[in-house]
Amino acid sequence: MNLLACVNSLFALLAATVSANTEKVIFLAPSPQTLPDLPYPLDRLGSDTLTPSNLSVRKSLPVAFPTIEDLYTVESWYLLRSLNPGQRYEVRICWAAIQPTEFRLEVFSINEILENPDLLQGAAKSSQRHQETSEASTADTGAESVFSLRIQAAAAFFTTNQTLMQHPPPVNVDIILDPYLANIFPSSLLPTAGYICCLAVIGWYISGIIWSFLQSTVSTGKIHTD
Ligand SMILES: *[C@@H]1O[C@H](CO)[C@@H](O)[C@H](O)[C@H]1NC(C)=O
């Protein structure tokens, strides 16, 4: 096998492993507030929540193709609750590359939604989809640090299949809330960092052993030639 073929197959391996996409938003948790009584159907906004004790959800999100006016026409809303005020968090969305999609993630305070007609309309639409499946759950739990998360999704593929172009299938995603350690390091990266440190330490010792072994063979070799 020649070098070119080797490099080619290595590259193919690399391309095969890169099969998932991710998009994220980083933010500081706001100061605590009491959730206002939200009008119908916004009271369903809280039926999908992420909290420090429920860090990820798996969902099937609706998507639509961009229109001439708007890149994003479908959105899903979530509540991020019981956050630690002032702490840095990130929310990631991960999806399989076999479902090409453009996502945009943004966070808003409840007041921002109530004051902005566009946000209000989008949030209401998203909440209405939950209507049959769940109870209102913005129950009063006193003051807490809360943000709402808007996920906008646009299908990003082309096919000659008319059915698929008119009704793009929902995209399976993982939505993950990741608190930062000391506001600098995403805690989900900790195992990876630990693994790399482990490898570095083991590598250091093994290289030391190999080095002293090489030195000893070189010096015994010298004695023989003398
Ligand atoms: C188009 O896609 C749909 C949904 O995946 C499938 O059921 C249908 O057979 C496809 N049509 C053609 C002509 O391939």
Side-chain angles (χ1 to χ4, degrees):
M1 194 148 88
N2 62 24
L3 183 69
L4 196 66
C6 268
V7 170
N8 244 337
S9 52
L10 259 183
F11 185 74
L13 200 70
L14 206 69
T17 46
V18 181
S19 60
N21 296 317
T22 161
E23 191 65 48
K24 68 178 173 182
V25 57
I26 299 171
F27 60 93
L28 290 177
S31 42
Q33 67 167 127
T34 14
L35 273 180
D37 273 336
L38 296 171
Y40 171 87
L42 274 190
D43 53 354
R44 261 72 181 181
L45 200 59
S47 52
D48 267 322
T49 52
L50 288 166
T51 64
S53 54
N54 175 32
L55 287 174
S56 78
V57 288
R58 181 158 289 184
K59 289 283 168 188
S60 189
L61 293 189
V63 297
F65 282 101
T67 61
I68 292 168
E69 303 88 45
D70 277 315
L71 174 54
Y72 298 103
T73 54
V74 186
E75 50 193 59
S76 311
W77 285 77
Y78 293 83
L79 273 194
L80 311 172
R81 300 187 71 169
S82 306
L83 302 174
N84 201 358
Q87 186 175 356
R88 194 182 300 276
Y89 290 86
E90 80 176 29
V91 172
R92 283 193 301 276
I93 184 165
C94 310
W95 70 102
I98 51 166
Q99 296 190 291
T101 315
E102 294 285 341
F103 283 105
R104 183 162 71 184
L105 272 60
E106 277 167 296
V107 289
F108 300 97
S109 72
I110 302 289
N111 291 343
E112 276 175 298
I113 302 177
L114 294 176
E115 283 159 14
N116 183 326
D118 284 344
L119 296 180
L120 202 57
Q121 201 187 4
K125 248 193 212 163
S126 161
S127 307
Q128 240 159 0
R129 283 203 303 267
H130 294 306
Q131 205 183 310
E132 316 86 38
T133 53
S134 57
E135 287 293 298
S137 63
T138 45
D140 187 16
T141 52
E144 61 177 313
S145 176
V146 54
F147 253 155
S148 47
L149 168 73
R150 179 174 74 173
I151 301 175
Q152 295 176 301
F157 61 86
F158 178 79
T159 163
T160 51
N161 183 326
Q162 281 302 316
T163 325
L164 283 177
M165 287 307 280
Q166 268 154 24
H167 307 284
V171 178
N172 296 321
V173 299
D174 280 328
I175 306 164
I176 301 158
L177 174 67
D178 199 359
Y180 275 41
L181 292 175
N183 279 1
I184 26 181
F185 198 75
S187 48
S188 67
L189 279 185
L190 210 60
T192 315
Y195 176 68
I196 291 172
C197 286
C198 247
L199 280 187
V201 170
I202 294 172
W204 172 268
Y205 278 109
I206 291 182
S207 68
I209 293 169
I210 292 175
W211 179 244
S212 52
F213 170 74
L214 285 179
Q215 266 186 332
S216 68
T217 50
V218 166
S219 50
T220 49
K222 257 186 198 153
I223 292 166
H224 277 287
T225 51
D226 276 351

